Amino acid sequence: MSFVRILFVFLSALYLSGCSSNAKVENMAYQGAEKVYVEELKDNIEVTSVAGGKESNSLWTSQISSEAFSIALEKSLIDQNLFSKNGDYELSVNFIKIDQPVFGMDFEVKTYIQYRLKNTITNHTVFNETVFAPYTAVFGDALVAADRLRLANEGSANKNIEMFLEELSDLKIRPNQISLRN
């Protein structure tokens, strides 16, 4: 096969597959109904770190960056009236694993994200769980594979945040885990 044909096939495949892009913040943020939380958490959670995400390589696959996920998480906490820039509860987040398909018609992405919530006054960890969230983007959602993978990333991240908020709404904080500031 001549060099020109190989180049044509490569460029055609690249065009048909599309360029990958990072997951979009607005599609990852949870925008559902406000949940009920214990009073101690209201306007009192500060996001201190988000680690383990990856930047997308435009010639390879779409990813979820730590920065974009952090912004989506903060937006979700703001919408739930939980966020504070200097809260008594520090939230650290770590991407444990993101399972992504390499190719296919339907793309299922599975995120495993650890959330750790610590009371800074008592130094007690009140929540430390890994949330698993699968999401499938089907062929009808986007014809271009790179777009389908980005949609699956966004959907899984959104579902992961939603499941974290659900677990947070079930959280009961014992009296020895909180204290009042003077």
Side-chain angles (χ1 to χ4, degrees), residues 30-165:
Y30 174 72
Q31 299 172 359
E34 186 176 342
K35 300 174 186 312
V36 177
Y37 305 95
V38 294
E39 197 60 36
E40 293 83 7
L41 297 179
K42 294 284 185 165
D43 300 313
N44 212 10
I45 298 177
E46 176 183 358
V47 179
T48 57
S49 68
V50 175
K54 296 179 183 175
E55 291 290 329
S56 294
N57 176 335
S58 63
L59 296 178
W60 191 235
T61 62
S62 176
Q63 298 290 333
I64 303 170
S65 73
S66 295
E67 181 182 356
F69 188 83
S70 179
I71 295 168
L73 179 60
E74 285 183 9
K75 181 177 178 355
S76 302
L77 292 171
I78 289 168
D79 290 349
Q80 295 291 308
N81 295 308
L82 297 171
F83 182 77
S84 172
K85 287 193 184 264
N86 295 314
D88 291 339
Y89 291 87
E90 291 182 343
L91 178 62
S92 59
V93 178
N94 187 36
F95 282 80
I96 303 298
K97 180 168 73 167
I98 301 175
D99 283 339
Q100 297 176 311
V102 177
F103 58 88
M105 296 297 280
D106 297 342
F107 288 166
E108 181 181 43
V109 171
K110 301 170 190 165
T111 52
Y112 301 79
I113 302 175
Q114 179 188 23
Y115 298 87
R116 183 172 181 256
L117 186 65
K118 184 178 88 169
N119 182 316
T120 60
I121 298 169
T122 65
N123 211 30
H124 282 96
T125 297
V126 297
F127 185 88
N128 188 11
E129 299 290 330
T130 298
V131 176
F132 162 73
Y135 183 87
T136 302
V138 298
F139 184 74
D141 293 334
L143 300 178
V144 177
D147 292 340
R148 235 178 3 269
L149 181 57
R150 180 184 49 78
L151 290 173
N153 284 336
E154 293 166 351
S156 183
N158 176 281
K159 189 71 176 165
N160 202 293
I161 291 172
E162 179 183 4
M163 292 172 73
F164 163 65
L165 292 171

Side-chain angles (χ1 to χ4, degrees), residues 17-37:
S17 65
C19 293
S20 65
S21 62
N22 278 327
K24 296 178 182 176
V25 170
E26 61 271 14
N27 296 336
M28 290 189 291
Y30 174 72
Q31 299 172 359
E34 186 176 342
K35 300 174 186 312
V36 177
Y37 305 95

